[in-house]
C-alpha cells in the first residue's frame, strides 16, 4: 500500500489516471482509485477526476466503493452539480442486499453536506430507519442528526424525529444509544428538547445501558443526568442501576456515572444511604488518578467540583493527591488545589509536610503555589494556623528569594485573617527587606509595617528605605506606601512628619497615576482638617478575609456539576461562555460601536474627588504646614 503514496511526479498524471479509471480491468481500476485517494491525501487537487471516479461507484468491490465514497465526501462541496450524478448510485446502494453497503450509502449521503443531495436522502433514510438489520438502523439514526444540521425544516417535516423517538424502544442496544445520541444532538442544535424523559423512557434506557458500547453508555448517562426523578425511591432505583458503571475501564463512563449519582443524591432524603453512595464514589475517582497525565488533569478538574459539592467524598483519600516527582506541572498545580480542599484538622500535618517539601522544588511556579497553599490552609483551618505560620517562618529562613517573597505575601493574608495574633514573626520578616524586588511582596511588607507601626521600633526607618525608590516602584507599591506612611504619622506623629510631607508631595505633584493622586489629596484633606476623623477612617478595623477554598458560587456550581465529564467542567465555565462565539462576537462589536467618545468635559481623575489642574500642580502649602502642629495630639 505504501507504493501508492510515493510521489511519482509524472506529467499529465491526471490524464493517465482518467484512462485507468475508465479501464475494464478491475485491478487497474482499483489501483487508479487508490492513486486518486493518495493524491487527495497529499493535498493535490484531483477534483477534475470527479466524473471518472463517480463512474466507479457501481463496482462490486467493497474496498473500491468505500474509497469512492471517501472521495465524494471530500469533493461534493466544491462540485455540487456533479455530485448529483452520484445520487442514483446511492439510492441503488440503499437497496443492496448487503447491510454493510446499505449502511455505507446512508452514512455517505449524510456526510455530504450539499442541500441538493439532502432532498434525495429522505426516502432512503426513511427505509433505513425501519431496516430489518440493526446495523443499518443505528447508522441511519446518526444520519438524522447530520441531516438536521443541513436542513432542520426537512427533518421535522419528514417526521424523522418522531421515528427516532419510536426507536428508543428498539430491541438492539446500539440502535437505542445512537437514537438518544442523535436526539440529544438535535436538541442542542435546535435549542429545544425533541424528546420527552419520563419513567417508561428512563426504564428503556436503563435496560440497554449494560449492553451498549462505552460511548453508547456515555450518551445514555448524559441523558439520564438531565432527568428529574419524581420520588426518592425512583432516584434510588436509578442510582442502583447506574452504580455498576463506576467500575468501567473507560474514564469518561466513570465520570458520567458519577455525574448521574451526584445529581440524584439531591433527591434522596435518607442520610445513611447518601453516605453509602458517597463512599462508593471515592474508589472510582481514586482509580482515575492512576491513568495518563491528561486523564488525571481532567479528573482533577472534575474532582474539584465534586469535592465542593460533596466534601466528604474523598476526605480520607488525601494521600492519593500527593504530587509525584514525574507528574507534569499542570497536574501538580491541580493537585495542590485538591489538597487544600481536602485538608482538615485530622490530616493537616501530613498536608503541611508535603507543601513544605514542595517548596524546595526547582520549578518556580510550583513552589510559589505551594507556599500560597500553606497560607490557604491557615485561613481555612483556625486550629492549624499556628502550624502553618511556623512552616512559613522556616521557609523564610531558607533565604531563597522567591520563596521568601511569596511567604511574605501569604503572611500578610494571615495577619488580615488573624489580627494581633502572630506579630512575633514580624522581626523575622524585617530581616528580609533587602531581598524584596517584586511589587506584590514589597506592597505586602509595607502593609505589615504600616499596620503594626506602633509595635515596630524602627518602622520609620523601614518606610524611609522604601521611600528611596518611590518613583521607580509600581502603582501597587506606591499606593501601599502612601497609606503606610499616613498610618505611621497618625500613630507616631513625631517620627513621620517630614516623611508624610514628602510622600504627599510625591503623590500629588510628581505622579501621573490618577488613583495615587486622588488618594494623596484625600489623605491631605483629612489630615489638614480633622486628624481625629482621619484616624477613624485610615485606622478603622478591617473585615477579616474569608476562606477561598470554595470559590465557585452555588448557582454556577450546580450548572458545572450538571456538566461533569464535559469541557465545561474542565474550564469551570458554563457552556454558553465558550461555545456561543457568534453571540459573544456580536455583543463585543455592539459594545465597541456604542462606546462614547472621550469628552473634554469629563473629569481627568478617577476616585473619590476631582482636583483642578492648577491645584494639582501647585498645591497650597498651608495644609501641609498645619500638619506639623499635630505633635500635641495623642500618638
Amino acid at each position: 500500500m505504501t507504493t501508492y503514496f510515493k510521489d511519482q511526479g509524472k506529467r499529465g498524471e491526471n490524464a493517465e489516471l482518467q484512462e485507468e479509471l475508465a479501464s475494464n480491468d478491475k485491478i487497474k481500476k482499483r489501483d487508479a482509485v487508490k492513486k486518486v485517494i493518495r493524491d487527495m491525501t497529499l493535498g493535490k487537487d484531483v477534483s477534475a477526476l470527479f466524473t471518472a471516479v463517480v463512474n466507479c461507484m457501481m463496482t462490486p468491490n467493497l474496498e473500491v466503493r468505500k474509497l469512492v465514497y471517501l472521495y465524494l465526501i471530500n469533493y461534493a462541496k466544491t462540485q455540487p452539480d456533479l455530485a448529483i450524478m452520484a445520487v442514483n448510485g446511492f439510492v441503488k446502494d440503499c437497496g443492496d442486499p448487503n447491510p454493510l453497503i446499505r449502511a455505507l450509502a446512508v452514512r455517505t449521503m449524510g456526510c455530504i453536506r450539499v442541500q441538493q443531495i439532502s432532498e434525495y436522502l429522505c426516502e432512503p433514510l426513511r427505509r433505513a430507519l425501519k431496516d430489518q438489520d440493526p446495523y443499518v438502523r443505528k447508522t441511519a439514526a446518526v444520519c438524522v442528526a447530520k441531516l438536521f444540521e443541513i436542513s432542520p425544516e426537512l427533518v421535522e417535516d419528514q417526521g424523522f424525529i418522531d421515528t427516532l423517538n419510536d426507536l428508543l424502544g428498539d430491541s438492539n442496544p446500539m440502535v437505542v444509544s445512537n437514537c438518544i445520541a442523535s436526539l440529544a444532538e438535535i436538541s442542542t442544535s435546535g435549542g429545544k428538547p425533541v424528546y420527552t424523559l419520563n419513567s417508561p423512557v428512563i426504564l428503556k434506557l436503563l435496560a440497554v445501558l449494560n449492553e451498549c458500547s462505552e460511548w453508547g453508555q456515555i450518551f445514555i448517562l448524559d441523558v439520564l443526568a438531565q432527568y428529574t426523578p419524581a420520588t426518592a425511591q425512583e432516584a434510588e432505583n436509578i442510582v442502583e442501576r447506574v452504580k455498576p458503571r463506576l467500575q468501567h475501564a473507560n474514564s469518561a463512563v466513570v465520570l458520567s456515572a458519577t455525574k448521574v449519582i451526584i445529581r440524584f443524591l439531591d433527591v434522596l432524603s435518607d442520610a445513611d444511604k447518601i453516605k453509602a453512595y458517597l463512599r462508593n464514589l471515592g474508589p472510582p475517582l481514586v482509580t482515575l488518578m492512576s491513568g495518563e497525565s491528561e486523564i488525571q488533569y481532567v479528573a482533577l478538574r472534575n474532582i474539584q467540583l465534586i469535592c465542593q459539592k460533596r466534601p466528604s467524598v474523598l476526605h480520607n483519600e488525601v494521600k492519593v493527591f500527593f504530587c509525584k516527582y514525574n507528574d507534569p506541572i499542570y497536574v501538580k498545580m491541580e493537585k495542590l488545589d485538591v489538597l487544600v480542599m481536602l485538608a482538615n484538622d485530622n490530616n493537616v500535618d501530613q498536608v503541611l509536610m508535603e507543601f513544605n517539601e514542595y517548596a524546595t522544588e526547582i520549578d518556580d511556579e510550583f513552589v510559589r503555589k505551594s507556599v500560597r497553599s500553606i497560607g490557604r490552609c491557615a485561613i481555612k483551618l483556625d486550629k492549624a494556623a499556628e502550624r502553618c505560620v511556623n512552616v512559613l517562618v522556616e521557609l523564610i529562613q531558607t533565604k531563597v528569594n522567591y520563596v521568601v517573597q511569596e511567604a511574605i505575601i501569604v503572611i500578610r493574608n494571615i495577619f488580615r485573617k488573624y489580627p494581633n495574633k502572630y506579630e512575633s514573626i514580624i522581626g523575622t520578616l524585617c530581616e528580609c527587606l533587602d531581598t524584596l524586588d517584586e511589587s506584590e511582596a514589597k506592597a505586602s511588607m509595607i502593609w505589615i509595617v504600616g499596620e503594626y507601626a506602633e509595635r515596630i521600633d524602627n518602622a520609620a526607618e523601614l518606610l524611609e528605605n522604601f521611600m528611596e525608590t518611590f518613583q521607580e516602584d509600581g502603582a501597587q507599591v506606591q499606593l501601599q506606601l502612601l497609606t503606610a506612611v499616613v498610618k505611621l504619622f497618625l500613630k507616631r506623629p513625631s517620627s513621620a512628619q517630614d516623611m508624610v510631607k514628602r510622600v504627599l508631595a510625591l503623590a500629588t505633584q510628581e505622579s501621573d497615576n490618577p488613583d495615587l493622586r486622588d488618594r494623596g489629596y484625600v489623605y491631605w484633606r483629612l489630615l489638614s482638617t480633622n486628624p481625629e476623623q482621619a484616624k477613624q477612617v485610615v485606622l478603622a478595623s478591617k473585615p477579616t478575609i474569608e476562606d477561598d477554598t470554595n470559590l465557585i458560587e452555588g448557582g454556577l456550581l450546580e450548572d458545572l456539576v450538571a456538566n461533569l465529564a464535559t469541557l465545561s467542567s474542565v474550564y469551570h465555565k458554563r457552556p454558553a461562555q465558550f461555545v456561543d462565539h457568534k453571540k459573544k462576537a456580536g455583543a463585543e462589536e455592539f459594545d465597541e460601536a456604542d462606546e462614547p467618545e472621550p469628552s473634554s468635559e469629563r473629569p481627568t481623575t478617577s476616585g473619590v474627588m476631582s482636583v483642578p489642574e492648577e491645584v494639582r500642580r501647585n498645591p497650597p502649602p498651608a495644609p501641609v504646614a498645619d500638619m506639623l502642629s499635630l505633635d500635641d495630639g495623642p500618638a
Side-chain angles (χ1 to χ4, degrees):
M1 189 67 183
T2 56
T3 57
Y4 296 108
F5 288 90
K6 292 180 180 177
D7 189 4
Q8 301 171 14
K10 296 179 180 178
R11 297 185 63 185
E13 187 174 5
N14 279 2
E16 293 181 11
L17 286 174
Q18 196 151 8
E19 292 178 6
E20 293 177 9
L21 290 169
S23 173
N24 293 326
D25 188 339
K26 294 180 181 179
I27 296 178
K28 187 178 289 188
K29 181 179 289 190
R30 181 197 65 190
D31 292 346
V33 173
K34 289 182 178 181
K35 290 176 183 177
V36 171
I37 299 301
R38 173 203 68 188
D39 291 347
M40 184 180 76
T41 306
L42 295 174
K44 294 182 179 180
D45 183 13
V46 288
S47 58
L49 301 172
F50 195 92
T51 305
V53 174
V54 169
N55 290 334
C56 298
M57 273 185 69
M58 293 300 103
T59 177
N61 189 319
L62 184 59
E63 180 187 4
V64 174
R65 194 172 296 193
K66 286 181 179 180
L67 293 175
V68 172
Y69 283 170
L70 181 62
Y71 177 90
L72 289 173
I73 292 171
N74 193 58
Y75 281 110
K77 280 188 177 180
T78 59
Q79 306 278 351
D81 297 330
L82 294 176
I84 301 295
M85 296 169 50
V87 169
N88 290 333
F90 284 132
V91 174
K92 185 176 179 181
D93 283 352
C94 287
D96 195 278
N98 188 340
L100 292 177
I101 293 178
R102 295 201 300 272
L104 184 61
V106 172
R107 179 190 293 123
T108 305
M109 290 184 74
C111 290
I112 296 177
R113 308 300 177 89
V114 177
Q115 186 71 32
Q116 295 92 321
I117 289 185
S118 63
E119 298 171 1
Y120 294 96
L121 175 60
C122 294
E123 195 56 38
L125 181 57
R126 183 177 289 105
R127 291 200 305 268
L129 288 169
K130 299 178 180 179
D131 197 281
Q132 61 181 359
D133 192 285
Y135 182 78
V136 180
R137 294 200 300 274
K138 81 176 186 65
T139 304
V142 176
C143 188
V144 173
K146 294 179 179 179
L147 181 60
F148 186 85
E149 294 181 10
I150 305 170
S151 179
E153 298 82 5
L154 186 63
V155 171
E156 294 176 2
D157 294 344
Q158 295 292 328
F160 289 139
I161 294 177
D162 295 333
T163 305
L164 287 179
N165 279 292
D166 294 339
L167 284 175
L168 291 177
D170 196 278
S171 58
N172 187 279
M174 288 303 302
V175 175
V176 175
S177 63
N178 280 20
C179 284
I180 199 66
S182 186
L183 288 169
E185 180 66 27
I186 291 172
S187 298
T188 303
S189 301
K192 60 180 181 179
V194 294
Y195 57 91
T196 303
L197 289 179
N198 50 39
S199 294
V201 173
I202 295 298
L203 289 176
K204 292 176 184 177
L205 296 179
L206 290 172
V208 301
L209 181 60
N210 294 341
E211 302 174 31
C212 291
S213 68
E214 53 192 22
W215 298 116
Q217 292 179 32
I218 293 169
F219 290 132
I220 292 176
L221 289 169
D222 287 345
V223 171
L224 287 175
Q226 301 171 16
Y227 178 61
T228 303
T231 64
Q233 184 60 45
E234 184 184 10
E236 185 179 347
N237 292 338
I238 294 174
V239 170
E240 285 293 337
R241 300 283 291 274
V242 170
K243 192 169 66 171
R245 299 300 96 207
L246 294 173
Q247 311 303 323
H248 202 282
N250 188 302
S251 56
V253 176
V254 174
L255 285 174
S256 295
T258 302
K259 171 170 60 179
V260 175
I261 295 174
I262 288 286
R263 295 266 293 166
F264 284 13
L265 287 183
D266 293 337
V267 183
L268 298 182
S269 55
D270 190 330
D272 292 334
K273 289 183 178 178
I274 292 176
K275 289 181 181 178
Y277 287 131
L278 290 177
R279 283 196 298 270
N280 292 330
L281 286 177
L285 294 175
V286 168
T287 304
L288 295 179
M289 300 311 300
S290 61
E292 296 178 354
S293 300
E294 294 79 6
I295 293 177
Q296 288 186 45
Y297 177 80
V298 173
L300 286 165
R301 296 293 287 177
N302 282 269
I303 285 171
Q304 290 175 30
L305 301 175
I306 295 169
C307 286
Q308 184 168 339
K309 175 71 174 176
R310 298 284 181 177
S312 62
V313 173
L314 294 166
H315 68 283
N316 291 326
E317 306 289 351
V318 66
K319 289 185 178 180
V320 175
F321 300 98
F322 288 170
C323 297
K324 300 175 184 176
Y325 74 95
N326 57 349
D327 281 339
I329 184 63
Y330 56 86
V331 171
K332 288 182 177 180
M333 293 299 212
E334 298 304 321
K335 282 186 174 181
L336 291 177
D337 289 332
V338 174
L339 285 173
V340 174
M341 298 184 79
L342 297 180
N344 55 46
D345 292 332
N346 297 324
N347 61 25
V348 68
D349 288 331
Q350 289 179 304
V351 173
L352 287 178
M353 286 177 61
E354 284 294 309
F355 288 158
N356 195 8
E357 187 70 25
Y358 301 157
T360 61
E361 295 281 343
I362 298 174
D363 188 279
D364 182 358
E365 186 181 2
F366 178 57
V367 169
R368 289 176 181 274
K369 187 162 185 178
S370 299
V371 176
R372 285 198 299 272
S373 297
I374 296 173
R376 291 175 64 189
C377 287
I379 294 170
K380 177 183 178 182
L381 306 171
D382 294 355
K383 295 180 181 179
E386 186 172 354
R387 281 171 281 178
C388 296
V389 170
N390 292 336
V391 173
L392 289 170
V393 171
E394 290 178 13
L395 293 175
I396 289 175
Q397 291 172 346
T398 63
K399 303 298 183 181
V400 178
N401 189 17
Y402 56 85
V403 175
V404 171
Q405 301 199 78
E406 199 65 42
I408 289 175
I409 296 170
V410 168
I411 289 173
R412 184 269 312 270
N413 293 332
I414 294 176
F415 282 173
R416 292 176 61 193
K417 174 67 175 179
Y418 308 104
N420 304 317
K421 194 170 182 181
Y422 299 109
E423 293 82 0
S424 59
I425 67 170
I426 292 178
T428 305
L429 301 181
C430 292
E431 296 173 3
C432 307
L433 292 182
D434 295 337
T435 64
L436 302 183
D437 55 11
E438 297 177 7
S439 294
E440 189 175 4
K442 291 178 74 172
S444 299
M445 191 66 223
I446 292 169
W447 181 90
I448 292 172
V449 174
E451 190 70 13
Y452 298 98
E454 73 280 11
R455 305 185 189 185
I456 303 175
D457 295 336
N458 62 337
E461 182 183 345
L462 297 178
L463 292 179
E464 190 69 50
N465 292 336
F466 286 113
M467 283 288 297
E468 294 175 1
T469 58
F470 182 87
Q471 291 180 305
E472 290 78 25
D473 287 327
Q476 183 181 14
V477 177
Q478 291 177 337
L479 288 167
Q480 200 59 257
L481 185 55
L482 172 62
T483 302
V485 171
V486 173
K487 285 180 180 178
L488 175 63
F489 178 76
L490 292 173
K491 293 176 179 179
R492 297 160 59 181
S494 59
S495 61
Q497 289 182 7
D498 293 337
M499 195 188 311
V500 76
K501 182 178 179 180
R502 279 188 289 119
V503 76
L504 287 173
L506 287 171
T508 56
Q509 300 179 41
E510 304 294 334
S511 175
D512 294 328
N513 187 317
D515 293 328
L516 183 63
R517 285 201 306 268
D518 285 350
R519 185 178 295 189
Y521 278 112
V522 169
Y523 287 153
W524 178 15
R525 298 290 193 270
L526 282 172
L527 293 173
S528 61
T529 55
N530 193 333
E532 289 302 320
Q533 190 174 19
K535 284 188 176 183
Q536 296 176 11
V537 173
V538 180
L539 303 181
S541 58
K542 286 82 175 173
T544 59
I545 60 175
E546 300 298 330
D547 173 26
D548 65 347
T549 303
N550 298 326
L551 292 174
I552 304 174
E553 56 92 12
L556 175 59
L557 179 63
E558 291 299 327
D559 290 344
L560 296 180
V561 169
N563 287 283
L564 283 177
T566 66
L567 280 177
S568 181
S569 65
V570 176
Y571 292 153
H572 288 186
K573 294 180 179 179
R574 291 185 174 94
Q577 292 181 262
F578 59 88
V579 172
D580 196 3
H581 297 297
K582 293 182 179 179
K583 183 176 180 180
K584 186 176 180 181
E588 289 175 353
E589 291 174 5
F590 178 81
D591 291 343
E592 290 177 3
D594 288 358
E595 186 175 353
E597 291 288 334
S599 172
S600 59
E601 298 178 358
R602 297 171 69 185
T604 56
T605 60
S606 61
V608 293
M609 64 171 62
S610 177
V611 184
E613 183 67 22
E614 60 273 12
V615 175
R616 194 179 301 114
R617 290 180 179 174
N618 301 298
V624 178
D626 290 344
M627 289 189 291
L628 302 181
S629 63
L630 292 178
D631 286 341
D632 298 332

